[in-house]
Amino acid sequence: MKISSSEDSFLLSDGNKIPCIGFGTFGLDNNKKGQDIIKTAISLGYRHFDTASLYGSEEILGKAIKASGVSRDELFLTSKVWKDDMAPGDIRKSFDRSLHALGTDYLDLLLIHWPRANENDEEWEEHLLMAWNTFIFLKQEGKVKSIGVSNFLPQHFDVIHSCSEKPVVNQIEFHPGYMQTGTVDYCQRHSIVVEAWSPLGRGALLNHPVVEEIAKKHKVSTAKVLLAFCLAHNVLPLVKSSSKERLKDNLSLFDFNLSEDDLYVLRGIAEKTGWSGQHPDLSIPKAKVGDF
Ligand code: A2P
């Protein structure tokens, strides 16, 4: 599906559509201030919101949606089940808590947030298989329209390969300094839409000289260069900002085109520039729901 406007969507392999730019709520102020930012984003035209049980932002997102007056069916809402809640009963409890906090009776997309609970879990494959089958049941029960995963590498997909439904999305860290080419290739070959978390390299790439030079050439912000970089690789960016001007700027990224040369130069940025330091198997976050 060709993406040429912020109102366009990616087609998921289950037939559903997902708006091509998402608003990420990780790290957002979880009180009135955060709620106001989301309200502003909705008023500017954002329709795709990404949250997680871990982030603590589901409630403010629910409140902002209610206050916005925009109807539920115009919005695309994603949430995630945290890695410590992967037992079938815990998944259902987490999911119900998410629905309640968001003030909705269904999700557009539910993701397994992390493939394994910790580095020492020798039974992670069994746990993952059980978790994914529970996700399939939730979908069959009509409580969630699409199901997917986050922070998965090809070896994690292997575990659930023979299940009756495949993940339609993999949300991973993606930016010029951490492109995860093997994983992106794997996903795209299997019709799994890749979503980018931290598409701006957690802010670290915004002042990178290579990005600055390209931004200057096109007379756009460095943020727009980085978001356009995602879309040029068929990766869906999840972007966040606390400023109305920047929120607006980030939505208007279709007024210029990155050339093949620009993309080549951006891909040459040193590996791990702006990297979070997180790895699905080797450096698993310790955070528990409620820590944020
Ligand atoms: P701010 O809230 O001050 O706008 P990432 O998504 O890679 O983790 O990076 C997010 C950070 O990038 C946010 O903290 C946000 O800060 C900043 N940001 C988002 N959009 C822009 C923009 N258009 N220009 C500059 N900084 C931006």
Side-chain angles (χ1 to χ4, degrees):
M1 209 174 253
K2 181 147 172 45
I3 305 289
S4 53
S5 133
S6 62
E7 287 166 21
D8 287 343
S9 297
F10 283 86
L11 182 63
L12 299 173
S13 62
D14 60 8
N16 293 325
K17 288 180 181 169
I18 182 167
C20 70
I21 300 174
F23 182 96
T25 61
F26 175 72
L28 205 63
D29 191 306
N30 283 334
N31 55 35
K32 176 85 174 52
K33 202 168 141 209
Q35 197 179 311
D36 287 345
I37 293 164
I38 299 172
K39 258 178 12 199
T40 305
I42 297 174
S43 73
L44 289 170
Y46 286 86
R47 291 292 178 267
H48 169 183
F49 290 87
D50 182 87
T51 181
S53 57
L54 181 75
Y55 301 168
S57 57
E58 291 169 316
E59 205 169 321
I60 52 160
L61 178 54
K63 285 183 180 160
I65 290 169
K66 199 168 172 200
S68 75
V70 171
S71 71
R72 173 67 184 90
D73 59 3
E74 285 182 48
L75 297 165
F76 189 103
L77 301 183
T78 301
S79 194
K80 312 183 191 83
V81 175
W82 187 232
K83 63 185 178 62
D84 300 325
D85 286 329
M86 296 274 264
D90 292 341
I91 290 176
R92 286 182 178 274
K93 281 188 207 147
S94 168
F95 178 69
D96 287 342
R97 279 196 302 271
S98 294
L99 289 185
H100 182 72
L102 287 161
T104 182
D105 55 6
Y106 72 96
L107 284 183
D108 296 279
L109 178 63
L110 183 69
L111 305 180
I112 291 184
H113 203 147
W114 207 273
R116 57 194 288 176
N118 58 63
E119 292 86 345
N120 307 320
D121 182 6
E122 287 174 6
E123 292 169 358
W124 70 271
E125 288 158 305
E126 280 164 51
H127 294 150
L128 184 53
L129 194 56
M130 247 185 330
W132 184 248
N133 279 317
T134 308
F135 269 52
I136 293 175
F137 288 138
L138 287 172
K139 183 169 179 244
Q140 287 167 349
E141 290 162 19
K143 293 175 173 163
V144 54
K145 292 191 172 177
S146 297
I147 49 176
V149 299
S150 183
N151 301 300
F152 269 43
L153 304 176
Q155 64 263 32
H156 305 121
F157 286 104
D158 285 348
V159 175
I160 55 173
H161 184 69
S162 53
C163 292
S164 59
E165 298 237 10
K166 310 276 175 268
V168 297
V169 158
N170 186 19
Q171 185 181 125
I172 58 172
E173 180 172 0
F174 178 89
H175 47 73
Y178 200 62
M179 289 188 59
Q180 306 205 58
T181 313
T183 297
V184 172
D185 283 354
Y186 175 94
C187 289
Q188 294 182 342
R189 267 191 287 117
H190 290 83
S191 305
I192 298 165
V193 169
V194 177
E195 296 182 343
W197 60 260
S198 283
L200 312 180
R202 300 182 314 143
L205 289 168
L206 290 166
N207 304 318
H208 191 285
V210 168
V211 187
E212 279 182 337
E213 198 180 317
I214 292 172
K216 200 167 149 202
K217 185 175 92 181
H218 291 285
K219 301 191 175 60
V220 296
S221 64
T222 48
K224 273 168 61 163
V225 168
L226 295 163
L227 298 176
F229 180 83
C230 289
L231 290 174
H233 291 85
N234 289 316
V235 171
L236 187 161
L238 299 169
V239 67
K240 58 177 174 281
S241 175
S242 50
S243 130
K244 184 173 182 179
E245 282 320 302
R246 292 196 282 275
L247 281 171
K248 217 174 174 172
D249 186 46
N250 294 348
L251 260 197
S252 70
L253 75 160
F254 295 93
D255 52 7
F256 77 109
N257 284 308
L258 291 174
S259 67
E260 277 306 319
D261 278 356
D262 295 333
L263 293 172
Y264 181 80
V265 172
L266 286 164
R267 285 194 286 262
I269 288 177
E271 172 78 4
K272 297 194 178 164
T273 307
W275 179 42
S276 66
Q278 291 178 359
H279 183 281
D281 287 328
L282 306 176
S283 55
I284 302 177
K286 300 275 181 288
K288 291 204 169 18
V289 174
D291 282 358
F292 284 80

